[in-house]
Amino acid sequence: MSLLDSAIVRLLPAVPKPVVQRFSARYIAGATLAEAVAVVCELNAGGKMATVDVLGEEITREDETRGIAQAYRDVLAAIEKESLDSNVSIKPTALGLGLSYELCRENLLDILGAGNFVRIDMEDSTTTDETLRLYRELREDGHDNLGVVLQARLRRTTDDIAALADLRPSVRICKGIYLEPAAIAFTDPEAIRVNFLACLDALLDAGCYVGVATHDEWLIGESLARVSQRGLGREEYELQMLLGVREERRDELVAEGHRQRVYVPYGEQWYEYSVRRLQENPAMAGTIARATAARLLGRGS
Ligand SMILES: Cc1cc2nc3c(=O)[nH]c(=O)nc-3n(C[C@H](O)[C@H](O)[C@H](O)COP(=O)(O)OP(=O)(O)OC[C@H]3O[C@@H](n4cnc5c(N)ncnc54)[C@H](O)[C@@H]3O)c2cc1C
């Protein structure tokens, strides 16, 4: 990424919302459940599984958190009705973690009641302890249809894997999107990759089911080599990617016989998620800069 591009990426929050919306459309299934269902149907028809995310985070009103929980129950009902191969992913702050731990727990229990598998996404490091506490408590209460996410960026993650090992958790391992201070996180991309593989090894050693969530070609190769060295069968791991990212590679991996799950976000609150995706897209910064300049100069939308 050029210096200009990285400056633009930092300035993305200042880019007009319609420009962000235009460029991020590929990452979002749509505003409505019907649109999300259509995307999941198409993915399933192409041999991929899905996990649906109702967009919304850092929610500050209790009634809004209940609204999100209801939206998830609607998603789960649609998955059941249409016999879709999909589970759901939830963000603790969307269910009210920022308001109270108990509220978040109650909302999550509501969603778990439907019986489908629910994965708790991992948000920034201020939420890690409570997210892992929530996971442990619910698993100890017998909710086995629950998985969690761990971030290779964080220095604590190998310790967290050791601490969770008795639960044999289902874990999505990812690099971690939230930029964290060097005191608690690896900041060098190579160090994050190395820790990703160390975490994957630790999870597989602990007998965990792992969702390997990355679009990084080197990491995909190294992860699949580990899976193969351990003689794991097709049902004993999965690869995961985000909607709108590296779709051709995703199809190749499915054709090679790997199970692939696609993260399908939908909903009205598309903005924060979209900015994060655009910030990660190495080719996008310059394009957005040109579109923003054209818009500000009154030449196009
Ligand atoms: C299914 C899934 C669930 C996730 N859940 C969480 C979570 O709960 N918590 C969390 O902190 N993070 C989560 N993430 C995000 C993750 O932590 C990374 O920030 C993200 O995946 C980018 O890292 P990468 O491993 O793909 O490597 P990168 O080095 O960022 O990307 C590798 C290559 O992929 C392509 N690419 C990556 N992103 C884009 C993009 N937006 N547009 C176009 N091309 C792109 C580019 O070719 C890039 O060079 C999730 C990721 C996935 C795939």
Side-chain angles (χ1 to χ4, degrees):
M1 206 182 272
S2 73
L3 273 179
L4 176 64
D5 280 358
S6 33
I8 292 161
V9 159
R10 279 200 300 278
L11 286 174
L12 253 179
V15 169
K17 277 196 170 182
V19 176
V20 172
Q21 187 166 30
R22 197 170 108 210
F23 284 101
S24 59
R26 60 191 272 209
Y27 301 123
I28 312 270
T32 65
L33 175 56
E35 287 167 293
V37 165
V39 168
V40 174
C41 276
E42 202 182 318
L43 288 167
N44 285 175
K48 286 142 235 153
M49 309 175 288
T51 185
V52 176
D53 167 39
V54 178
L55 289 168
E57 51 198 273
E58 303 284 348
I59 285 187
T60 51
R61 288 204 346 244
E62 182 176 335
D63 59 332
E64 282 181 285
T65 73
R66 306 244 184 242
I68 298 256
Q70 179 57 51
Y72 272 105
R73 285 197 298 275
D74 295 344
V75 172
L76 290 164
I79 289 174
E80 172 93 21
K81 179 163 172 269
E82 309 285 337
S83 304
L84 300 175
D85 189 349
S86 181
N87 57 41
V88 294
S89 290
I90 63 102
K91 287 196 169 38
T93 63
L95 297 187
L97 187 65
L99 294 174
S100 98
Y101 179 84
E102 283 313 318
L103 173 65
C104 177
R105 188 178 198 276
E106 212 178 284
N107 279 326
L108 181 52
L109 274 171
D110 246 17
I111 297 167
L112 279 170
N116 197 334
F117 182 83
V118 177
R119 187 167 304 277
I120 314 176
D121 284 345
M122 188 59 81
E123 301 182 88
D124 70 61
S125 62
T126 62
T127 66
T128 313
D129 282 338
E130 287 200 313
T131 301
L132 294 180
R133 174 183 159 207
L134 187 62
Y135 178 72
R136 173 167 285 283
E137 277 183 17
L138 293 176
R139 281 293 311 282
E140 285 178 350
D141 283 352
H143 297 282
D144 289 339
N145 56 328
L146 189 61
V148 72
V149 177
L150 292 172
Q151 298 157 324
R153 180 185 297 277
L154 295 187
R155 296 179 190 275
R156 61 179 283 170
T157 296
T158 38
D159 291 341
D160 287 335
I161 293 169
L164 287 170
D166 62 306
L167 297 172
R168 291 201 49 211
S170 165
V171 174
R172 172 195 301 149
I173 183 76
C174 64
K175 287 183 182 174
I177 174 74
Y178 305 92
L179 295 182
E180 305 283 359
I184 60 164
F186 299 101
T187 52
D188 168 43
E190 278 314 308
I192 296 172
R193 277 173 153 184
V194 168
N195 199 44
F196 189 110
L197 294 177
C199 293
L200 177 60
D201 279 332
L203 288 165
L204 295 175
D205 285 346
C208 298
Y209 181 88
V210 185
V212 178
T214 183
H215 317 96
D216 179 328
E217 193 54 38
W218 184 79
L219 272 184
I220 293 171
E222 291 291 320
S223 301
L224 289 178
R226 281 163 166 74
V227 160
S228 152
Q229 277 153 18
R230 286 164 195 268
L232 295 185
R234 184 181 142 77
E235 309 287 324
E236 294 176 287
Y237 67 96
E238 64 188 51
L239 302 176
Q240 299 188 350
M241 289 195 188
L242 300 170
L243 188 69
V245 182
R246 299 207 68 197
E247 291 168 356
E248 284 175 17
R249 185 61 182 129
R250 199 173 71 191
D251 290 346
E252 283 169 14
L253 289 162
V254 170
E256 286 165 23
H258 305 290
R259 294 202 309 157
Q260 177 78 241
R261 188 177 300 278
V262 180
Y263 191 95
V264 178
Y266 88 94
E268 301 284 350
Q269 297 190 44
W270 52 270
Y271 181 73
E272 286 81 7
Y273 180 88
S274 299
V275 167
R276 288 202 296 275
R277 292 290 79 82
L278 292 177
Q279 285 173 330
E280 279 184 328
N281 183 341
M284 199 49 90
T287 317
I288 291 182
R290 283 188 291 280
T292 307
R295 190 183 160 83
L296 294 177
L297 296 171
R299 285 191 265 118
S301 58

